[in-house]
Amino acid sequence: MTYKKSYEKPFKSIKKKSGSFFVFALILAALPFLACLVRLLATGNSFNDIWPIASTWNDEAMYYKQIEGMVKFGIPQGYFGYNESTAPSLTFGAWIPSILLPFSLWGKVFGWSFLSPYFFNMVFFAISLFIFALLVKPDLRETCLIFLTLFAFTPLSRLAFSYMPEILITGLVVILFGLYISADRTPRYISFLLMCLILVYLTTIRPYFAVLFVLPFLLSFKYDKKQRIFLIALTIVLGLLSVYLYSYLTDKYTAAYIGDVYTDYFGKIFTHGPRLVFNEATESLKYNF
């Protein structure tokens, strides 16, 4: 017990002297810029040396040109399906259009060039960490641990220098958990609602995020019985709605990913026998792996 008090006291005194968590929020917000700077220093390059056209990730070209079309014309111009197809409605590729909207809004305001996605990624993640810090109010020790943990996770800086949406998604998850921690300490309806809205958006672009509806579900137990029933029902309804939206938007506004995948193995068992079906399924799995 004596060790614990002597360990925590210096950090508590620093926190009191600061008088605000604003400084800690700024420290976390500086993380994306510092991480990207260190990556450039490690490779001996400047910001202008990055040449996205040389990327080996073909998804980057698809994202960039679709967003460029949205910035200039409202919707992409051309065929962006991987098999040179397009969506049943409009001209989007293999991803739901809503995942492109934040980037297109950035392009509308600040213009769209080869470096625009990098600026968006760094600024958005910085804002996400800043909001997280204001919500969670970490002390100096916690701020340092969060900073060092994320700084050591080098894929964050690599993805910041890409046209992929992973930084957008990661930033939203950071805000989501900030809201959860804040609401777990002091339950607020606004935090609950914001969590649900973020989860609806995340699930419509990546359906596996539906599992995180467990967070507002757990928060509902912070309220009395009547409020709890309402909030649980709301969580379930929004969770199901988000999965439906993903399915609807995928069917209507996205192109086929590559091609149809044969899955009628069950029916083929009765027409060709289980041994043939087993061999075909095994070969298919080996090939795709």
Side-chain angles (χ1 to χ4, degrees):
M1 184 63 70
T2 304
Y3 172 77
K4 183 177 180 181
K5 287 184 177 179
S6 63
Y7 174 73
E8 291 183 346
K9 188 174 180 181
F11 295 102
K12 289 184 177 180
S13 63
I14 291 173
K15 185 173 69 174
K16 289 178 181 178
K17 287 180 181 179
S18 69
S20 172
F21 294 99
F22 189 77
V23 175
F24 299 145
L26 289 177
I27 292 173
L28 289 182
L31 168 68
F33 304 102
L34 291 175
C36 289
L37 176 61
V38 169
R39 176 174 284 274
L40 290 175
L41 292 174
T43 57
N45 296 312
S46 70
F47 192 75
N48 290 326
D49 290 334
I50 302 172
W51 185 235
I53 293 177
S55 172
T56 57
W57 296 352
N58 65 326
D59 285 6
E60 293 196 85
M62 296 291 192
Y63 276 109
Y64 182 86
K65 296 304 290 185
Q66 285 186 89
I67 296 166
E68 183 183 57
M70 294 174 71
V71 172
K72 293 183 178 180
F73 306 104
I75 59 172
Q77 306 294 298
Y79 298 87
F80 292 96
Y82 284 112
N83 54 0
E84 298 184 359
S85 64
T86 188
S89 297
L90 303 181
T91 56
F92 291 95
W95 310 291
I96 290 174
S98 54
I99 201 173
L100 308 174
L101 285 176
F103 297 94
S104 64
L105 291 174
W106 176 274
K108 287 284 188 181
V109 176
F110 300 105
W112 193 249
S113 68
F114 282 155
L115 300 181
S116 296
Y118 307 152
F119 287 118
F120 172 87
N121 288 334
M122 288 186 285
V123 170
F124 185 82
F125 199 53
I127 293 173
S128 301
L129 290 170
F130 186 80
I131 293 173
F132 175 87
L134 293 182
L135 289 168
V136 176
K137 297 180 174 58
D139 59 24
L140 179 60
R141 179 173 61 89
E142 293 165 340
T143 300
C144 291
L145 286 173
I146 295 170
F147 187 97
L148 292 174
T149 301
L150 292 177
F151 190 82
F153 187 62
T154 54
L156 284 177
S157 58
R158 171 61 186 94
L159 290 168
F161 287 133
S162 78
Y163 296 165
M164 308 293 281
E166 272 67 23
I167 292 296
L168 167 68
I169 295 171
T170 305
L172 289 173
V173 172
V174 167
I175 296 174
L176 176 70
F177 277 92
L179 288 167
Y180 175 76
I181 295 170
S182 175
D184 185 57
R185 295 171 179 171
T186 307
R188 295 186 182 91
Y189 287 119
I190 184 63
S191 299
F192 188 95
L193 180 60
L194 288 174
M195 285 181 63
C196 288
L197 291 176
I198 291 175
L199 281 170
V200 168
Y201 178 74
L202 286 173
T203 305
T204 57
I205 60 177
R206 296 286 191 270
Y208 45 77
F209 279 112
V211 300
L212 291 183
F213 272 99
V214 70
L215 297 179
F217 174 80
L218 293 174
L219 286 178
S220 64
F221 289 91
K222 294 282 184 178
Y223 297 86
D224 60 40
K225 187 175 181 179
K226 290 184 178 180
Q227 294 172 319
R228 186 188 313 153
I229 293 173
F230 172 75
L231 294 176
I232 289 175
L234 179 63
T235 301
I236 294 173
V237 169
L238 289 177
L240 294 174
L241 175 64
S242 62
V243 173
Y244 170 77
L245 283 174
Y246 168 78
S247 177
Y248 175 80
L249 293 172
T250 299
D251 290 340
K252 193 171 181 65
Y253 296 107
T254 65
Y257 191 69
I258 293 178
D260 293 332
V261 179
Y262 180 79
T263 57
D264 190 24
Y265 291 112
F266 183 76
K268 201 170 184 180
I269 290 175
F270 299 98
T271 58
H272 295 75
R275 177 176 294 182
L276 177 65
V277 170
F278 176 79
N279 291 336
E280 286 186 356
T282 303
E283 288 299 320
S284 178
L285 288 172
K286 286 168 59 178
Y287 172 78
N288 286 288
F289 180 76

